[in-house]
Amino acid sequence: MNVLVVEDSEVMRGMIVKALKNGGLPLGDVYQASNGVEGLQALHDHAVDLVFMDLNMPVMDGETFLRSLRAEVATAGIPVVVVSSNSSSARALGLESLRATFVQKPFTTQTLRAAAENALGARQ
Amino acid sequence: MSSDLRAAIHRAATVTFSAYSRKSLREGLPKTSEGDPVSVAIEFTGPRKGRVEVNIWEDALGDLAASMYDQRVPPPFSDQLDAIREVTNVIAGNVVSSLDSTSLFNLGLPKVQHNGPIAAVDPSAVADFALGSGRVSVRLFIEN
């Protein structure tokens, strides 16, 4: 399973990847992007099975990235997990209609894994 | 100082530092650290407008960043700043979520305050901690 992590903080990208590895998910390639623009480019360049993303990012924020991802036929079906500290922003975004799962920061390995499984399961 | 505001910032800081640091978190501000803190602030808008500011003294910052990067020794200072910016972002997100759980808050991007903490205005609430051998002060400013 190839994963894309879109998050402006390098340390948080590392923590997400570490939690995914510790959580026992069958990881393939892990791609990283520091904003929505880089995230869309990574989706264009690589086959991605699951996206983890922040909302509060410079250059292109998470909402714009997620709506762009859902608007493209090639990427519209990719499961998404939003990892953010701001639950009010996630709620206002209407994650259910955008078919995304929410995880509150700070997260645990277990909550991140459960969210990934939830997102992957919702696709089927 | 409102007890609700203090509870909100205390809870957010406790949850965040407990999750991200290997060092023990104890309430109160020890006087063991000297010098100026590294100060990071993030502004928020919504039903209430204000700012969350995290001040961390160097011993605690290095230890915190090492824990977040899963290293034995503190990473370069630029990476320490990335770590404390992310911690500030997480604390701020949790604070605004507890101020009003039904309304939308927008968070700005965390910014390092190179001139140190803003001293001109009294904070609405403060949470002080000893973090390992260092210290942390988290301050919430609400605009009326």
Side-chain angles (χ1 to χ4, degrees):
Chain A
M1 178 175 59
N2 296 338
V3 168
L4 170 65
V5 181
V6 188
E7 159 70 61
D8 60 321
S9 167
E10 180 190 357
V11 68
M12 183 52 63
R13 291 199 300 271
M15 294 173 79
I16 290 171
V17 172
K18 183 185 171 198
L20 293 175
K21 288 177 178 171
N22 290 345
L25 286 173
L27 285 183
D29 293 326
V30 177
Y31 306 106
Q32 299 189 27
S34 62
N35 58 61
V37 171
E38 291 181 10
L40 291 175
Q41 186 62 48
L43 289 173
H44 181 265
D45 294 343
H46 306 289
V48 171
D49 302 301
L50 179 60
V51 172
F52 292 85
M53 54 165 286
D54 191 12
L55 290 177
N56 194 19
M57 295 183 287
V59 185
M60 179 191 282
D61 63 24
E63 176 177 358
T64 307
F65 168 74
L66 180 53
R67 293 193 187 282
S68 300
L69 179 156
R70 289 291 180 243
E72 285 290 326
V73 173
T75 57
I78 297 175
V80 171
V81 178
V82 171
V83 187
S84 172
S85 61
N86 188 355
S87 60
S88 76
S89 183
R91 203 171 37 249
L93 193 54
L95 290 185
E96 201 165 307
S97 64
L98 288 167
R99 289 169 284 127
T101 302
F102 177 69
V103 171
Q104 174 106 30
K105 294 176 183 174
F107 54 80
T108 64
T109 297
Q110 291 76 19
T111 56
L112 203 65
R113 182 192 168 108
E117 290 175 338
N118 185 305
L120 290 164
R123 180 182 56 173
Q124 294 163 359
Chain B
M1 187 182 300
S2 157
S3 60
D4 287 349
L5 294 180
R6 189 185 183 282
I9 199 160
H10 187 273
R11 189 183 318 110
T14 302
V15 166
T16 304
F17 282 112
S18 298
Y20 292 156
S21 178
R22 292 186 286 239
K23 300 290 185 179
S24 62
L25 186 70
R26 301 178 307 281
E27 204 158 340
L29 202 58
K31 295 178 180 173
T32 52
S33 296
E34 299 295 336
D36 295 329
V38 171
S39 182
V40 177
I42 186 165
E43 295 182 349
F44 60 85
T45 56
R48 304 180 89 169
K49 185 178 176 188
R51 188 174 88 251
V52 172
E53 180 184 276
V54 176
N55 300 295
I56 185 165
W57 280 259
E58 279 192 26
D59 287 352
L61 176 57
D63 288 341
L64 175 70
S67 172
M68 293 176 73
Y69 276 94
D70 199 21
Q71 297 177 1
R72 285 172 176 245
V73 297
F77 189 64
S78 60
D79 291 342
Q80 295 182 29
L81 291 181
D82 181 36
I84 194 60
R85 276 194 297 262
E86 180 60 19
V87 163
T88 305
N89 181 50
V90 173
I91 291 174
N94 280 272
V95 165
V96 298
S97 297
S98 60
L99 289 180
D100 184 341
S101 62
T102 59
S103 300
L104 170 63
F105 284 90
N106 290 305
L107 293 181
L109 295 171
K111 293 178 181 169
V112 176
Q113 301 182 136
H114 292 287
N115 294 323
I118 297 171
V121 182
D122 287 335
S124 309
V126 177
D128 292 331
F129 300 96
L131 185 63
S133 61
R135 58 175 169 154
V136 179
S137 180
V138 184
R139 310 198 297 176
L140 172 64
F141 299 82
I142 301 278
E143 292 182 16
N144 292 321

